[in-house]
mmCIF file of all heavy atoms in Angstrom:
data_model
loop_
_atom_site.group_PDB
_atom_site.id
_atom_site.type_symbol
_atom_site.label_atom_id
_atom_site.label_comp_id
_atom_site.label_asym_id
_atom_site.label_seq_id
_atom_site.Cartn_x
_atom_site.Cartn_y
_atom_site.Cartn_z
ATOM 1 N N PRO A 155 -15.570 -4.718 6.700
ATOM 2 C CA PRO A 155 -15.108 -4.652 8.090
ATOM 3 C C PRO A 155 -16.273 -4.298 9.030
ATOM 4 O O PRO A 155 -17.134 -3.483 8.675
ATOM 5 C CB PRO A 155 -14.053 -3.542 8.064
ATOM 6 C CG PRO A 155 -13.568 -3.534 6.653
ATOM 7 C CD PRO A 155 -14.765 -3.875 5.816
ATOM 8 N N ALA A 199 11.356 -14.874 8.235
ATOM 9 C CA ALA A 199 12.159 -15.563 7.212
ATOM 10 C C ALA A 199 13.258 -16.398 7.875
ATOM 11 O O ALA A 199 13.541 -17.524 7.452
ATOM 12 C CB ALA A 199 12.760 -14.540 6.252
ATOM 13 N N SER A 306 -15.875 7.710 -4.677
ATOM 14 C CA SER A 306 -14.523 8.118 -5.070
ATOM 15 C C SER A 306 -13.600 6.912 -5.037
ATOM 16 O O SER A 306 -13.513 6.205 -4.040
ATOM 17 C CB SER A 306 -13.993 9.198 -4.129
ATOM 18 O OG SER A 306 -12.637 9.438 -4.449
ATOM 19 N N ARG A 355 25.723 -16.253 -14.062
ATOM 20 C CA ARG A 355 25.297 -17.503 -13.433
ATOM 21 C C ARG A 355 23.985 -18.034 -13.985
ATOM 22 O O ARG A 355 23.219 -18.681 -13.276
ATOM 23 C CB ARG A 355 25.167 -17.327 -11.911
ATOM 24 C CG ARG A 355 26.417 -16.853 -11.226
ATOM 25 C CD ARG A 355 27.487 -17.899 -11.359
ATOM 26 N NE ARG A 355 28.504 -17.752 -10.356
ATOM 27 C CZ ARG A 355 29.071 -18.771 -9.711
ATOM 28 N NH1 ARG A 355 28.718 -20.000 -9.988
ATOM 29 N NH2 ARG A 355 30.005 -18.565 -8.826
ATOM 30 N N SER A 439 7.467 19.309 2.736
ATOM 31 C CA SER A 439 6.186 18.652 2.968
ATOM 32 C C SER A 439 5.191 18.807 1.833
ATOM 33 O O SER A 439 4.220 18.090 1.767
ATOM 34 C CB SER A 439 5.576 19.172 4.266
ATOM 35 O OG SER A 439 5.512 20.560 4.167
ATOM 36 N N HIS A 498 -2.312 3.571 -2.344
ATOM 37 C CA HIS A 498 -3.226 4.577 -1.776
ATOM 38 C C HIS A 498 -3.025 4.695 -0.269
ATOM 39 O O HIS A 498 -3.966 5.008 0.456
ATOM 40 C CB HIS A 498 -4.698 4.215 -2.045
ATOM 41 C CG HIS A 498 -5.120 4.353 -3.466
ATOM 42 N ND1 HIS A 498 -6.446 4.448 -3.844
ATOM 43 C CD2 HIS A 498 -4.416 4.415 -4.620
ATOM 44 C CE1 HIS A 498 -6.530 4.543 -5.168
ATOM 45 N NE2 HIS A 498 -5.311 4.507 -5.656
ATOM 46 N N LEU A 554 -28.812 1.810 -1.034
ATOM 47 C CA LEU A 554 -29.797 2.359 -1.978
ATOM 48 C C LEU A 554 -31.119 1.616 -1.857
ATOM 49 O O LEU A 554 -32.192 2.223 -1.914
ATOM 50 C CB LEU A 554 -29.250 2.311 -3.410
ATOM 51 C CG LEU A 554 -28.024 3.190 -3.662
ATOM 52 C CD1 LEU A 554 -27.561 3.098 -5.111
ATOM 53 C CD2 LEU A 554 -28.284 4.657 -3.305
#
Side-chain angles (χ1 to χ4, degrees):
S306 173
R355 303 295 201 140
S439 55
H498 289 199
L554 295 181

